[in-house]
Amino acid sequence: MLKLIYAPGDGIGPEIGSVALKILNYQLDKYGIEYSITPILFGGCAIDAYGTPLSDSDLALIKQSDAVLLGAVGGPKWDSVDASIRPEKGLLKLRKECAAFANFRPAKVYDCLKNASPLKRSIIDRGVDIMIVRELSGGIYFGERSEGDHEAYDTEYYSYAEIERIIIKGFECAMKRRKKLCLVDKANVLASSRLWRKVFDKVASDYPEVETSRMYVDNAAMQLACAPYKFDTVVTSNLFGDILSDEASVITGSIGLLPSASVGEVDIYEPIHGSAPDIAGKNIADPIGMILSVAMLFRYKLNVDAAADEIENAVSAVLEKGLRTADIYDNDSIDTKVKICTTTEIGDAILNELEQ
Ligand code: IPM
Ligand code: MN
């Protein structure tokens, strides 16, 4: 039986989460998958309830489960709590404890949302379909650190084995896509990046069909803005992947659309956006990032590609009909069929497509 943990978190998390859950339940039932879904408090709401963003008993439950479906965590309410128990700390602990080392962040531009991209139409028309494969349980996020008033440091540490396993994920992913893999690093400055290059070159020999490239992260940031069509699959470190995935996401029109899968011992599926406390409780948040994370759960955890395809097609169909939450910025609203909808309306419209 599939054991899922549902951690909606803070801010808009519970609103988008309840919409995503409906889609999850519907598809699990449709495909006859037996499952249990256990809700937990995680993030700021868990700090309020238990004084910690992730309680030991919930962590124990998670470790016995197959995957976590996450909303978003954090908010100004918890900005002043002790750094050691902040909601973000809970998220990092969760990733580490789940050994969720491979984070897949796709960014593609829907035809009907081309006008919502901040990039020029001439660039977007060349197509954007990128997968960022981000290392998620190592690097500067978890390296040795010291925090003093007069000096402070963080360490970018990577072992050969940590690099190798994420690079293999990058190649496997590229094989299922357009067979192009770009390593993004800062090998002209960082010793750790030079080790990434060595491992990349070694692993590349096992995947002769994949066309490889190597790019410094500063250049990659620039190329994403002026020539995103050059990228297919990108593999990179934790910090570089964090930064580049936000940049890639905004090209698509809204960060609210983008899902992610973090794969390891226990998988984590979550939208890449934050908890958006400014719009929480208004039923206006975009649920698509979380709904597409459910699709990724079917693809990556359950290997039921058909269920994932159906969800993705339903999302496309709803967007194609002009239904959108307000975050999807349209810089020339010549498209008169666009209708601004609430979170629940978008969820119902997607469910409706699935039911047809
Ligand atoms: C993300 C977020 C997190 C990260 C934060 C909230 C710790 O920005 O998932 O991209 O930096 O990984
Ligand atoms: Mn981020």
Side-chain angles (χ1 to χ4, degrees):
M1 190 182 66
L2 176 71
K3 284 197 224 154
L4 297 176
I5 303 288
Y6 170 58
D10 310 313
I12 58 170
E15 295 161 60
I16 57 171
S18 63
V19 164
L21 266 190
K22 279 196 206 164
I23 310 256
L24 175 63
N25 287 320
Y26 183 82
Q27 289 296 78
L28 286 170
D29 290 341
K30 177 170 173 190
Y31 282 86
I33 298 164
E34 267 191 60
Y35 62 96
S36 69
I37 300 179
T38 309
I40 61 161
L41 292 180
F42 176 62
C45 55
I47 297 176
D48 291 347
Y50 320 124
T52 170
L54 176 58
S55 73
D56 290 343
S57 57
D58 285 340
L59 181 58
L61 275 180
I62 289 169
K63 289 197 152 187
Q64 290 158 17
S65 73
D66 297 301
V68 182
L69 178 65
L70 205 83
V73 294
K77 186 175 172 200
W78 304 282
D79 277 353
S80 53
V81 301
D82 190 88
S84 65
I85 59 155
R86 285 184 56 136
E88 291 81 357
K89 263 272 175 252
L91 188 56
L92 297 182
K93 183 173 172 191
L94 177 71
R95 289 171 179 173
K96 192 73 173 179
E97 293 284 342
C98 291
F101 69 91
N103 180 224
F104 296 88
R105 297 189 164 186
K108 73 169 198 186
V109 174
Y110 290 89
D111 279 346
C112 61
L113 292 184
K114 282 180 173 173
N115 285 337
S117 173
L119 295 189
K120 274 196 202 122
R121 198 55 199 252
S122 57
I123 296 174
I124 291 300
D125 276 341
R126 298 188 61 175
V128 178
D129 183 357
I130 303 170
M131 176 69 89
I132 295 182
V133 183
R134 170 188 176 193
E135 198 291 324
L136 200 66
S137 63
I140 202 162
Y141 275 57
F142 296 96
E144 189 194 316
R145 74 186 52 181
S146 162
E147 193 161 358
D149 289 332
H150 299 287
E151 56 171 30
Y153 64 81
D154 302 276
T155 320
E156 176 82 341
Y157 168 92
Y158 273 113
S159 69
Y160 192 104
E162 282 176 308
I163 301 170
E164 189 180 39
R165 64 182 184 177
I166 187 71
I167 285 182
I168 290 172
K169 289 283 184 195
F171 275 99
E172 283 174 355
C173 181
M175 284 296 287
K176 292 192 200 134
R177 294 173 45 89
R178 301 193 302 281
K179 298 195 172 62
K180 280 169 64 180
L181 182 65
C182 178
L183 170 68
V184 170
D185 63 29
K186 189 69 188 172
N188 50 346
V189 177
L190 302 178
S192 53
S193 285
R194 288 191 285 274
L195 183 58
W196 274 73
R197 283 212 177 188
K198 257 188 221 156
V199 181
F200 185 76
D201 292 346
K202 170 109 194 331
V203 177
S205 61
D206 296 333
Y207 298 88
E209 282 172 61
V210 177
E211 184 193 319
T212 60
S213 58
R214 296 135 191 89
M215 202 181 275
Y216 298 141
V217 64
D218 46 353
N219 184 28
M222 189 175 78
Q223 298 294 329
L224 266 178
C226 61
Y229 48 82
K230 283 187 182 164
F231 296 96
D232 171 25
T233 313
V234 168
V235 65
T236 192
S237 65
N238 202 340
L239 181 64
F240 295 161
D242 179 45
I243 299 166
L244 293 181
S245 60
D246 266 32
E247 188 186 353
S249 76
V250 83
I251 296 173
T252 69
S254 171
I255 193 171
L257 293 168
L258 297 197
S260 80
S262 303
V263 171
E265 280 163 23
V266 179
D267 290 6
I268 306 166
Y269 295 87
E270 56 173 322
I272 82 159
H273 58 73
S275 62
D278 52 324
I279 58 163
K282 298 184 178 161
N283 195 26
I284 58 172
D286 195 337
I288 290 180
M290 192 151 176
I291 291 171
L292 292 175
S293 301
V294 169
M296 290 187 94
L297 190 153
F298 280 97
R299 202 180 293 290
Y300 286 75
K301 183 80 226 170
L302 300 169
N303 292 312
V304 186
D305 284 358
D309 290 344
E310 283 165 10
I311 297 172
E312 287 165 3
N313 292 339
V315 167
S316 302
V318 164
L319 290 171
E320 207 62 56
K321 286 183 174 157
L323 307 182
R324 315 205 179 326
T325 42
D327 56 301
I328 303 174
Y329 167 67
D330 211 332
N331 55 6
D332 61 4
S333 346
I334 40 168
D335 198 351
T336 45
K337 64 178 181 142
V338 168
K339 179 173 178 269
I340 299 293
C341 300
T342 62
T343 308
T344 41
E345 280 168 349
I346 292 289
D348 290 344
I350 292 170
L351 202 54
N352 206 21
E353 289 292 334
L354 285 174
E355 284 162 355
Q356 310 224 324

